[in-house]
Amino acid sequence: MRAVTVDVLLETGRRKVFASAVGWPGWSRSGKNEEAALAVLEDYLDRYAPVVTHAGLRVPQRTAFKVVERLKGGGATDFGIPGAVAEADARPWSVKEATRQADIMVAAWAYLEDVIARASATLRKGPRGGGRDRDQIDAHVAESEIGYARALGIKAPDSSATRVALERAVRSSRGGPAQREKGWPMAYAVRRIVWHVLDHAWEIQDKSA
């Protein structure tokens, strides 16, 4: 198996640190410090792998993480959201990379749909998600994406149309800086969207177990 080093962003708040693999949207986890965040990121590779495989890509085989950028987090970080935009998010994309990013995003949506189809409607209650059940989580993810799309200047009438528009936008994007004032760079948008989808897919799985 070919060994590779995975580049990682670290976003540090007052109480929590997020580790996010560069170029692998959705592979983002948090911990109480850098070491803990990287350990959780490593633990979640097996859960992230089916999404990568569904996208038709090779699962990254890693021997080490390389921290390429440290970001100052804020309230969103401590609340549990990777909310800081990185310098790496402003890098341009090739056509191939835009396709790859879109494929991972679409695969994450499919993964969530499969998890929802297999889960019971009523989930075990706990601190994660404020006690929401399956369909409430599904609706929350869809509603959030409508807001995320607006950060890219995309307005659509419903969640299905939003996902169609998001996929089209990512596939046609060449990355780079945000295209509008207070908007998101496309790389950050995909990173945030896919993280949110998978975080809640894994939440449903954990509460169904």
Side-chain angles (χ1 to χ4, degrees), residues 34-106:
E34 290 188 359
E35 183 177 288
L38 290 169
V40 178
L41 190 69
E42 179 180 1
D43 288 344
Y44 267 73
L45 177 56
D46 287 343
R47 298 186 82 171
Y48 184 65
V51 180
V52 176
T53 301
H54 186 82
L57 302 170
R58 177 180 293 182
V59 177
Q61 301 297 329
R62 151 223 56 67
T63 55
F65 291 127
K66 178 182 178 182
V67 178
V68 295
E69 194 172 341
R70 283 180 165 83
L71 312 172
K72 182 179 180 180
T77 316
D78 290 325
F79 185 72
I81 299 169
V85 176
E87 290 182 9
D89 293 327
R91 294 173 186 165
W93 284 347
S94 64
V95 173
K96 181 178 180 180
E97 181 60 18
T99 299
R100 181 177 169 281
Q101 293 277 327
D103 287 346
I104 294 175
M105 183 174 68
V106 171

Side-chain angles (χ1 to χ4, degrees), residues 1 5 9 20 39 42 44 53 61 86 99 123 139 145 153 163:
M1 235 174 241
T5 297
L9 306 172
S20 299
E42 179 180 1
Y44 267 73
T53 301
Q61 301 297 329
T99 299
L123 302 178
E145 285 172 356
R163 286 187 174 177

